[in-house]
Amino acid sequence: GGWLTGMISLLLSANRRVSVVAWGEFLQAITDSQKGLPKLKFLELSDTHAHRAGAGGRLAAVLRSGKLPSLQSLYPEHSVLKHRLCLVNVQEELGLIAEDVRRVRLPPRLESVCYSFPFPRGLRNGDLNLDALISAIAESERGLPSCVTGLRLWGGRVGEEALASLAASRGVFSEGKLSNLKELDLSACEIDDKKLKRLAEVFTAHGCPKLTHLNLSRNRISIDGFSAFLDILRPGCLPNLFSLVLFQQEQEEGHLQRRELDLDASEALKDRARSEKKIPNWTNIDPFA
């Protein structure tokens, strides 16, 4: 038992002197306990090193363990997998989170969590394969769990086949498989014009009514490729997207596109996206800069 089993709220913020090891042991103890914390609704971990323990899988393990069945609020939302690890650990954790999506293993009342996959130091963009997660969303009847409001996947690799599978998948709910997603970061994910078309198909098929931030910077997207993206988008599928970032696109030979070559064309595309109601609330300035 223990007195913690009846706890409803744990406010542990600003404990900066508590080490990464101690946080890991605390989180592991919850996972290993017989009863867990069955009544806990609020877990506050801001301004601590707990996210570093979470990067080792401890925080994600707690969420999938079933030991926090009443959890409603985890703060900060991006605590999970924020610290950099070696590629093997991050790829392994990505696979576990894909299973969380496929088998719906997160606390049923959890309101919001953002998975921020850290790109390991010393490795190249694209070494982290994101297809397992994309495929899990496609294979799940419910799609991305409603509590997952953010995916920061920068520096990974997204495959065209995985995106096509997600676009073609159908779920049990009419609102689609990405209905609660608010932030999607696919920067430096080796997205070219072909993959961008597939992403447009995903948005058209499932819609992202709550998406406000989409980061596609540092990929290989051309002006023509983005025009084709708009051709495919269904009006109304991205009604609240206001920040769409496309700066520092690479050309085929790996050089960054120069700002002055793209300014007029990008402004024209932005006007078109709004006038055709493809991205009616797009407001950030100079997206290709």
Side-chain angles (χ1 to χ4, degrees), residues 212-213 240-244 267 270 274 279-287:
T212 58
H213 293 76
N240 291 304
L241 180 63
F242 67 85
S243 177
L244 172 54
E267 283 300 314
K270 189 174 177 181
R274 290 185 297 211
I279 312 176
N281 291 304
W282 186 7
T283 58
N284 64 302
I285 304 300
D286 200 3

Side-chain angles (χ1 to χ4, degrees), residues 24-37 58 61-62 65 67:
E25 292 174 347
F26 170 72
L27 295 168
Q28 189 64 49
I30 298 174
T31 302
D32 294 341
S33 64
Q34 183 176 1
K35 294 183 178 180
L37 302 177
R58 303 289 179 85
V62 169
S65 68
K67 301 299 174 64

Side-chain angles (χ1 to χ4, degrees), residues 12 15 18-33 45 48-62:
L12 302 175
N15 282 295
V18 179
S19 69
V20 172
V21 173
W23 279 114
E25 292 174 347
F26 170 72
L27 295 168
Q28 189 64 49
I30 298 174
T31 302
D32 294 341
S33 64
L45 299 172
T48 72
H49 296 301
H51 63 273
R52 298 193 176 193
R58 303 289 179 85
L59 185 53
V62 169

